[in-house]
Amino acid sequence: MAPPRVPWIYPSLPLLSSLLLVFHASPPSTALRNYPENEANSRDSRPIYPPVTNHCVTALCAGVVTLLDSMSALADLGWEAYPNEGWEEISVMDERNTPMRTYQVCSVMEANQNNWLRTRHISREGAQRVYIEIKFTLRDCNSLPGVSGTCKEVDVGDRVLKLNTEVRDISNLSKKGFYLAFQDLGACIALVSVRVFYKKCPLTVRNLAQFPDTITGGETALVEVHGVCVNASEEFEPPKMYCSADGGWLVPIGRCVCKPGFEENKDICQPCRPGTYKASATDAYCTKCPPHSSSPHEQAMECICEKGFYRAETDPRSMACTRPPSAPENPISSVNETCVTLEWSPPRDTGGRGDITYSLHCRKCSGEGKKCAPCGSSVHFVPRQFGLSSASVLITDLQPDSNYTFTIESQNGVSDLSPTLRGTVVINVTTSQTVSVVLKERRSKDSVTLAWQGPERPNGAIVEYEVIYYEKNQREQNYTVLKTRSNMMTVDGLKPGTTYVFRVRARTDGGYGTYGGEIELETSHEDVLAIGDPNQSTILVVSIAGGIVLLIFLVTCFVVSGRHCGYIKAKQDPDEEKMQFQHGRVKLPGSRTYIHPHTYEDPNQAVRDFAKEIDASNIRIERVIGAGEFGEVCSGRLRVQGKREIYVAIKSLKAGYSDKQRRDFLSEASIMGQFDHPNIIRLEGVVTKCKPVMIITEFMENGSLDTFLKKHDGQFTVIQLVGMLRGIASGMKYLSDMSYVHRDLAARNILVNSNLVCKVSDFGLSRVLEDDPEAAYTTRGGKIPIRWTAPEAIAYRKFTSASDVWSYGIVMWEVISYGERPYWEMSNQDVIKAIDEGYRLPAPMDCPVVLHQLMLDCWEKGRSDRPKFGQIVTILDKLIRNPASLRELANSSACREDPPTPEFSVSTVDDWLDTIKMGQYKENFSSAGYVSLDSILYISVSELAKMGVTLAGHQKKILSSVQSLQTQGTHVQV
Ligand code: AMP
């Protein structure tokens, strides 16, 4: 990531396209020209070289390609030495008596040495960045006769020379190849091994996408690589990964999924076994065929239904195959004049489905059931004829005194697919005869006596008669029904001199007959007897037309009261909950709370309340140091009353501003003016009474932190860096205690003074985000610096001190990496996606474990899980007091000699789980197919949950360990 910090390889000989390596030793005094030869000739006095173990054995250190290795040379290396008597190729034996080819020079007794050694041309094979690992020994000059002892001594023990190893990298190579040149200016040195290699991210499969062998980038830290879906898989989301400079793969995004008929097994898609199927690419695994279906061959996308069973088009493939239902059972009819109600029981065999419906077919028969014909459209079915969901129907408008045959058919979703006959049941119904009622009446002042004649051909035995009456014109309000078994009835309790309407009908065991026609009778004022009055008695042939309204009304009442009586008024939803938003802040007793300038009706009042007005004549502007949204930023001096001049930064509002711009510009002063803390930029005052309007702050000699760090890459001790971070955390604690949420905490918004004190700045309102070049528009319209912002703030603008803590974690990463851009060249969209998928920035180079852990804590998904700024200050204070705690580094490059962190010197998933005390999940991992350490490197929370690791704490523990495995890359022995 960062360029090499020690400039001892000079990529600066363009003509030779070579590299120069210079060995200095002081003083280059008298030469001992024969020293190497002497050593070589006299076996006893020869130094013993420790075995040169190659710490980067290719199998372990996947992704390393060696371009040159002096240790593997079988014959002379034959490098060019100039002058001839300078570097000399000498074969020596190591401890195990293995011959090694070395180059040695030891002209320590002669002044002005300038000995050159140049390798053969090394082809770069397309690599842009190569690494050179040199193992060498320096000779103790004290042991050499005549040398006064100023050579560097590195002997260890008795004649065993200590082997020095240096690894350096050079990037941006563009020619075909290069030479390495070593220059000796008078040291006594033996070049024991020179190895030149480059790194590549090895071919790998992640999320079912194959990523090719990829040579790591040159200057650019990451190489974006698009994956190709493995056989029998398809893109779910375009897969890509980044090949890091270390030869490790980072941030897998997107994935492929196995096509229908295939399931994932480790890194391949394998066909579903017979008896199983997978219908959709997004299903994870093949599943057993549902009941009544089978898949005789591999690779089934669905199972075939057994004979007689079917699958409806809308049935999910996972549903059992089904068949048409059997016939409805126990049909019964209930005739009501020319209506009939049919009811039946559902079929005994539903065919395995719940979607049973019924349809009716009606035929009218004559000639004792011999000649039947369809009923035609005059017959009506309530609620409908076809597709009934309940097992009953009312049929109206039949002809009286007729025979009907109804066929009730049961159906379900697969009936149409079956060629065999449906389940049907037949019921015959005879409608009642038209009832002719001969009405006789006798009236008195409060009663009426009626006598009638029953139907000539009733459709069954007459059970009773029903008399209905009401006052004329008041039927709707009040009517009375009376029943009798006899053929006459006296209705009393009537009002004198009132007209009533009467109707009578018979009920047989086959149902009700039709009503006789209406007859109007007026009660007398006096008692009158009038029986058999031919004018009054009427033979009424019931007019169907006249009676039908009443009939339907009555029948409907009957049906409704028996089954669906009335309707249930839709229950009203409960009152909508009213969301109460609390705008006020909770103020801790005794704490000062920041006052938002917008709470002032007059924003100028906020400026007057919080910022001191400075007389422009006391300000001396000296030079331009930056540019802000509203105008230039200059440095200069301010004469403070009764004090000496102080250095200040002066921000001025450029001419031609609008009222809003002036307000927004000064809002920064009215916010900053409320703060008083050594790690918050101090406001000296404002100039508002004359133009240009200015904001005066303390001057921060080293400018913004990001630029400052880039300029001083690698120049600070870790304690100094932690000191800076502590300052920022302390400033942020102060702000959060005052309930101020910064929203744009980033190294570019921290200023550094000459004492390396960091102070938080940039408190504008609109400008907090609008002005930030890093801010990008989100889908919700706001502008947000994505890389620095917590996911909940990006997703739904939930900005809190906890989201500031997330940003603080990013600032930590920026500081430790000396101003590296978070997430490098990844796009904002990729960053959002990667964070959502659980990816977090790996530890920067040379980052202490504890600091990376703190960063990870700041990047907890749940904002309440992140530390508070107060806790961060405490943690950093402890680290500063105990620098040893910073010694353990989070990562070591792929080919470093540092032993792997003990935690991960494991080779199996089981060992790893034991090491992190999660051994109880061994079964879960192995049955989910995670059998190699390699396979767990990109496991996600959802996968953990799927395999049964559901406790959040355990998931967290496992994932953070996986993350460490990722950053350790090739240390994992797989
Ligand atoms: P700003 O508009 O606050 O982002 O300032 C623009 C640039 O001016 C910053 O990036 C700094 O380089 C510089 N600057 C702002 N304030 C100060 C200050 N108090 N001391 C030194 N440089 C400053």
Side-chain angles (χ1 to χ4, degrees):
M1 277 168 261
R5 296 191 190 135
V6 187
W8 63 282
I9 297 178
Y10 302 96
S12 58
L13 294 176
L15 283 178
L16 281 171
S17 178
S18 63
L19 296 156
L20 171 62
L21 203 58
V22 187
F23 293 99
H24 296 270
S26 62
S29 51
T30 344
L32 180 67
R33 205 170 284 160
N34 291 331
Y35 164 67
E37 247 170 86
N38 288 348
E39 294 287 52
N41 294 342
S42 141
R43 214 186 145 75
D44 287 339
S45 59
R46 246 187 333 187
I48 295 172
Y49 293 91
V52 183
T53 45
N54 195 335
H55 290 275
C56 198
V57 182
T58 312
L60 282 182
C61 196
V64 170
V65 179
T66 304
L67 295 172
L68 176 145
D69 187 357
S70 66
M71 295 294 294
S72 63
L74 297 173
D76 283 355
L77 289 167
W79 294 351
E80 271 181 52
Y82 179 86
N84 260 345
E85 63 278 13
W87 290 93
E88 237 176 319
E89 182 164 359
I90 291 169
S91 286
V92 294
M93 296 292 173
D94 73 5
E95 223 178 19
R96 297 188 196 118
N97 262 354
T98 314
M100 301 192 305
R101 273 155 239 287
T102 68
Y103 274 95
Q104 304 190 2
V105 65
C106 195
S107 307
V108 290
M109 304 194 76
E110 279 174 25
N112 303 326
Q113 289 299 305
N114 187 12
N115 301 311
W116 286 81
L117 176 65
R118 198 191 74 175
T119 64
R120 62 170 170 78
H121 182 262
I122 304 167
S123 165
R124 80 178 164 94
E125 294 184 3
Q128 293 173 51
R129 179 191 293 243
V130 297
Y131 297 79
I132 299 131
E133 179 200 66
I134 297 149
K135 295 178 193 279
F136 59 97
T137 60
L138 281 172
R139 177 76 183 182
D140 174 14
C141 300
N142 279 327
S143 67
L144 306 176
V147 178
S148 53
T150 41
C151 276
K152 215 166 156 192
E153 165 49 24
V154 284
D155 266 15
V156 177
D158 181 23
R159 290 192 305 115
V160 178
L161 292 175
K162 185 192 162 202
L163 206 52
N164 301 288
T165 304
E166 292 284 353
V167 182
R168 289 293 181 263
D169 66 322
I170 45 168
S171 34
N172 284 354
L173 294 176
S174 58
K175 300 264 164 64
K176 244 181 159 176
F178 54 89
Y179 296 93
L180 284 180
F182 306 88
Q183 184 187 22
D184 163 52
L185 296 174
C188 185
I189 190 159
L191 259 184
V192 176
S193 139
V194 176
R195 204 170 64 85
V196 181
F197 58 92
Y198 66 88
K199 294 181 185 175
K200 41 181 201 176
C201 297
L203 178 139
T204 187
V205 174
R206 289 270 183 275
N207 296 337
L208 291 177
Q210 179 167 312
F211 295 85
D213 246 357
T214 304
I215 298 176
T216 55
E219 212 38 10
T220 45
L222 296 181
V223 179
E224 186 180 316
V225 183
H226 291 265
V228 178
C229 291
V230 299
N231 270 348
S233 72
E234 61 191 41
E235 266 186 22
F236 178 67
E237 205 181 322
K240 68 175 174 185
M241 273 211 284
Y242 293 89
C243 173
S244 76
D246 274 348
W249 289 104
L250 289 175
V251 205
I253 293 175
R255 63 181 296 113
C256 301
V257 287
C258 291
K259 288 182 175 165
F262 291 86
E263 69 180 345
E264 186 173 347
N265 184 5
K266 289 165 198 161
D267 288 333
I268 59 163
C269 288
Q270 66 182 22
C272 295
R273 287 189 316 278
T276 68
Y277 77 105
K278 198 185 96 171
S280 151
T282 51
D283 292 341
Y285 301 107
C286 302
T287 37
K288 251 178 79 179
C289 285
H292 303 296
S293 70
S294 62
S295 62
H297 306 293
E298 280 195 333
Q299 220 175 293
M301 294 188 236
E302 63 174 24
C303 299
I304 305 159
C305 291
E306 282 168 18
K307 200 158 174 252
F309 285 84
Y310 308 90
R311 183 174 287 130
E313 215 168 289
T314 50
D315 285 353
R317 307 292 96 162
S318 55
M319 189 175 137
C321 290
T322 54
R323 61 180 170 188
S326 59
E329 299 192 353
N330 313 321
I332 48 167
S333 65
S334 171
V335 176
N336 195 350
E337 299 180 7
T338 51
C339 303
V340 61
T341 302
L342 298 182
E343 290 176 289
W344 57 90
S345 312
R348 208 164 293 170
D349 174 12
T350 60
R353 308 182 62 92
D355 56 354
I356 289 199
T357 58
Y358 306 95
S359 294
L360 282 107
H361 305 280
C362 170
R363 290 169 76 79
K364 185 166 178 279
C365 303
S366 57
E368 286 158 6
K370 284 197 180 114
K371 271 167 63 196
C372 295
C375 294
S377 57
S378 58
V379 175
H380 293 104
F381 294 79
V382 182
R384 69 189 79 86
Q385 184 176 3
F386 302 106
L388 284 165
S389 49
S390 63
S392 69
V393 68
L394 169 71
I395 304 149
T396 66
D397 302 325
L398 299 168
Q399 289 188 6
D401 198 15
S402 305
N403 292 325
Y404 288 90
T405 298
F406 293 100
T407 307
I408 309 165
E409 178 189 335
S410 56
Q411 289 169 299
N412 65 15
V414 293
S415 292
D416 289 342
L417 302 172
S418 162
T420 52
L421 275 178
R422 318 265 163 85
T424 56
V425 66
V426 173
I427 180 166
N428 296 318
V429 173
T430 306
T431 51
S432 59
Q433 183 193 15
T434 302
V435 180
S436 302
V437 177
V438 178
L439 181 72
K440 295 176 179 177
E441 46 92 1
R442 186 175 56 191
R443 288 175 286 164
S444 71
K445 93 172 179 308
D446 61 354
S447 73
V448 168
T449 301
L450 303 165
W452 56 84
Q453 186 185 330
E456 273 171 25
R457 282 181 289 112
N459 63 347
I462 290 174
V463 178
E464 62 185 4
Y465 292 96
E466 196 180 86
V467 177
I468 178 169
Y469 71 94
Y470 46 90
E471 264 182 64
K472 193 177 177 192
N473 302 328
Q474 290 200 10
R475 181 182 179 280
E476 296 299 326
Q477 282 82 15
N478 204 357
Y479 64 91
T480 307
V481 178
L482 300 170
K483 289 180 178 179
T484 178
R485 290 185 181 195
S486 88
N487 277 37
M488 67 179 293
M489 173 185 277
T490 298
V491 180
D492 41 24
L494 304 176
K495 291 184 202 161
T498 308
T499 305
Y500 287 90
V501 178
F502 296 87
R503 305 188 77 185
V504 181
R505 66 174 179 173
R507 183 165 78 86
T508 69
D509 49 11
Y512 279 100
T514 11
Y515 273 104
E518 291 180 359
I519 178 132
E520 290 182 14
L521 293 171
E522 188 182 355
T523 46
S524 59
H525 298 278
E526 295 294 318
D527 278 347
V528 177
L529 191 65
I531 289 185
D533 184 344
N535 298 327
Q536 296 286 336
S537 44
T538 317
I539 298 176
L540 293 168
V541 174
V542 170
S543 140
I544 290 180
I548 200 132
V549 176
L550 178 64
L551 172 76
I552 290 182
F553 169 79
L554 288 172
V555 166
T556 311
C557 272
F558 163 71
V559 170
V560 161
S561 66
R563 298 202 186 83
H564 318 277
C565 204
Y567 65 96
I568 300 166
K569 198 174 169 215
K571 232 181 159 181
Q572 277 202 324
D573 286 336
D575 280 350
E576 266 183 27
E577 255 178 57
K578 280 187 188 135
M579 298 279 276
Q580 299 256 339
F581 293 100
Q582 280 213 317
H583 289 289
R585 294 170 198 274
V586 182
K587 199 177 162 192
L588 295 170
S591 73
R592 268 189 62 210
T593 302
Y594 138 85
I595 299 162
H596 195 291
H598 277 181
T599 54
Y600 276 77
E601 237 169 70
D602 173 12
N604 291 321
Q605 188 55 43
V607 179
R608 283 193 290 277
D609 280 1
F610 298 121
K612 199 169 86 188
E613 180 72 26
I614 290 177
D615 190 337
S617 64
N618 289 330
I619 299 166
R620 184 144 50 98
I621 295 176
E622 288 175 340
R623 61 193 174 87
V624 178
I625 53 168
E629 187 199 3
F630 296 98
E632 287 171 341
V633 184
C634 300
S635 64
R637 290 173 213 223
L638 169 70
R639 205 172 46 242
V640 192
Q641 249 181 358
K643 286 194 201 157
R644 61 188 173 84
E645 280 187 332
I646 57 167
Y647 283 102
V648 286
I650 303 143
K651 285 187 187 176
S652 44
L653 178 61
K654 60 185 167 229
Y657 52 82
S658 66
D659 263 7
K660 180 175 181 310
Q661 279 173 319
R662 182 179 191 274
R663 263 201 316 275
D664 287 349
F665 174 71
L666 286 173
S667 70
E668 179 167 24
S670 41
I671 296 170
M672 218 190 299
Q674 299 181 45
F675 304 141
D676 178 17
H677 187 272
N679 296 103
I680 305 291
I681 197 82
R682 192 180 66 249
L683 177 74
E684 295 295 346
V686 291
V687 176
T688 61
K689 302 235 162 88
C690 60
K691 285 184 182 170
V693 174
M694 292 186 263
I695 297 176
I696 319 295
T697 61
E698 65 180 307
F699 180 60
M700 301 292 284
E701 294 82 351
N702 281 314
S704 60
L705 177 62
D706 61 332
T707 323
F708 175 68
L709 288 169
K710 282 179 203 151
K711 211 157 89 190
H712 298 278
D713 190 358
Q715 294 177 13
F716 300 114
T717 61
V718 74
I719 288 289
Q720 282 176 306
L721 297 178
V722 175
M724 292 182 201
L725 289 174
R726 195 256 177 224
I728 301 166
S730 171
M732 288 308 298
K733 175 186 183 305
Y734 175 82
L735 293 181
S736 67
D737 286 349
M738 284 193 70
S739 306
Y740 179 81
V741 179
H742 191 289
R743 296 175 172 225
D744 197 11
L745 181 59
R748 64 185 168 280
N749 291 329
I750 305 290
L751 293 167
V752 189
N753 73 9
S754 55
N755 296 323
L756 290 194
V757 176
C758 290
K759 306 199 181 197
V760 181
S761 83
D762 250 7
F763 297 103
L765 282 183
S766 73
R767 60 187 302 271
V768 164
L769 299 172
E770 303 299 326
D771 178 33
D772 189 336
E774 281 293 351
Y777 285 98
T778 62
T779 45
R780 291 175 60 114
K783 234 183 150 191
I784 287 177
I786 302 292
R787 281 153 215 275
W788 282 263
T789 304
E792 74 275 7
I794 296 174
Y796 49 99
R797 303 189 70 81
K798 182 81 193 159
F799 285 98
T800 56
S801 289
S803 63
D804 277 351
V805 166
W806 179 291
S807 313
Y808 178 80
I810 303 286
V811 171
M812 287 183 73
W813 192 90
E814 289 183 279
V815 168
I816 304 297
S817 64
Y818 283 92
E820 182 71 75
R821 179 167 165 73
Y823 311 97
W824 308 278
E825 300 88 27
M826 281 168 69
S827 71
N828 280 339
Q829 226 33 52
D830 281 356
V831 171
I832 292 173
K833 239 187 265 169
I835 291 300
D836 189 47
E837 287 174 17
Y839 172 76
R840 297 293 184 266
L841 282 167
M845 198 162 83
D846 298 336
C847 175
V849 172
V850 278
L851 291 184
H852 189 231
Q853 188 51 55
L854 185 52
M855 293 178 204
L856 293 174
D857 292 344
C858 294
W859 302 327
E860 278 288 347
K861 192 176 175 66
R863 60 178 192 281
S864 53
D865 295 336
R866 298 171 202 155
K868 306 281 175 293
F869 279 114
Q871 293 168 305
I872 297 177
V873 173
T874 312
I875 292 169
L876 295 178
D877 279 342
K878 275 192 193 148
L879 295 180
I880 293 169
R881 279 198 303 272
N882 177 19
S885 56
L886 293 160
R887 221 169 277 153
E888 190 192 343
L889 300 185
N891 56 5
S892 30
S893 88
C895 296
R896 281 212 191 146
E897 290 175 24
D898 310 355
T901 319
E903 185 188 349
F904 299 126
S905 56
V906 292
S907 53
T908 65
V909 174
D910 285 2
D911 286 354
W912 165 66
L913 286 169
D914 281 336
T915 316
I916 62 170
K917 301 204 165 56
M918 291 281 117
Q920 69 267 40
Y921 293 120
K922 283 180 193 169
E923 271 277 338
N924 308 48
F925 272 76
S926 67
S927 39
Y930 292 96
V931 288
S932 73
L933 276 181
D934 202 20
S935 65
I936 54 136
L937 283 181
Y938 295 93
I939 203 162
S940 66
V941 183
S942 61
E943 281 160 329
L944 283 178
K946 230 188 277 166
M947 71 165 79
V949 184
T950 47
L951 292 175
H954 290 184
Q955 291 177 345
K956 211 157 123 186
K957 191 161 184 185
I958 290 170
L959 287 179
S960 74
S961 171
V962 165
Q963 204 149 26
S964 312
L965 286 175
Q966 284 175 346
T967 51
Q968 293 204 3
T970 49
H971 277 314
V972 183
Q973 298 181 12
V974 290

